Amino acid sequence: MLANRLEYSAENCSIARTLEIVGEKWTLLVLREAFYGVRRFADFLTAIGCARNILSDRLATLVEHDVLERCSYREAGQRERYEYRLTAKGLDLLPAVVALMQWGDRYLADGQRPPVHITHRGCDAPVRAEIVCATGHRDLTAQQTTVSPGPGAIAK
């Protein structure tokens, strides 16, 4: 627990700010599909199964916050259309998406095997998210970490 937690405001919390952008079910499913390689509106709609207006809103939010970029394309004889590609900012969300998937595989799979495997293209080994300190200690638990106010902390 953060030392003297109640002495510091949560108004500028990085987790809360992140959740304002990506903390909604349909948004996370859009990100999942983007990491799977989906780029076009109709394909997102088919893969996710939400209403068109919800998908439009979620894509607009992700574009507004530079998580996805909207790129035009035109197939022969067709009008200009748009697809959505992960930006560097969006690609940086991969560890969070993988961590959510791992948690779901571990606790919600009902004894079944995971529906998706993520592997390293270079060696085909499984990929996983983990907590590592700057000196290389791996697989840290909450009990092995300490939280303290950072330079952006605001005292109450």
Side-chain angles (χ1 to χ4, degrees):
M1 183 159 129
L2 177 63
N4 303 315
R5 171 66 187 111
L6 299 180
E7 294 178 14
Y8 293 91
S9 171
E11 71 186 80
N12 67 336
C13 173
S14 295
I15 294 171
R17 288 177 178 170
T18 302
L19 291 175
E20 285 294 321
I21 300 168
V22 302
E24 192 274 332
K25 172 187 171 179
W26 299 116
T27 303
L28 285 168
L29 295 177
V30 167
L31 290 171
R32 176 196 68 191
E33 294 305 322
F35 280 113
Y36 290 172
V38 173
R39 292 187 176 166
R40 296 183 178 177
F41 185 92
D43 295 335
F44 279 113
L45 200 57
T46 299
I48 296 169
C50 66
R52 294 179 71 83
N53 63 322
I54 291 173
L55 179 57
S56 292
D57 181 62
R58 298 318 179 264
L59 289 169
T61 297
L62 292 170
V63 168
E64 175 187 344
H65 291 281
D66 195 33
V67 175
L68 293 176
E69 66 178 328
R70 191 172 176 233
C71 304
S72 66
Y73 72 93
R74 182 187 306 257
E75 293 179 353
Q78 299 293 317
R79 65 178 172 85
E80 180 180 47
R81 294 180 180 248
Y82 295 92
E83 62 183 19
Y84 300 86
R85 296 179 184 208
L86 288 159
T87 63
K89 200 172 174 180
L91 290 167
D92 278 349
L93 286 166
L94 180 63
V97 173
V98 170
L100 286 170
M101 185 181 83
Q102 283 176 203
W103 188 88
D105 288 348
R106 183 171 183 179
Y107 294 107
L108 304 175
D110 294 332
Q112 299 175 18
R113 294 182 290 189
V116 173
H117 292 284
I118 300 175
T119 56
H120 178 220
R121 286 185 190 184
C123 69
D124 207 33
V127 170
R128 66 185 178 101
E130 67 177 335
I131 305 297
V132 180
C133 78
T135 61
H137 296 102
R138 308 178 78 84
D139 293 324
L140 299 177
T141 65
Q143 293 78 17
Q144 295 169 311
T145 63
T146 301
V147 180
S148 58
I154 299 172
K156 286 187 177 179

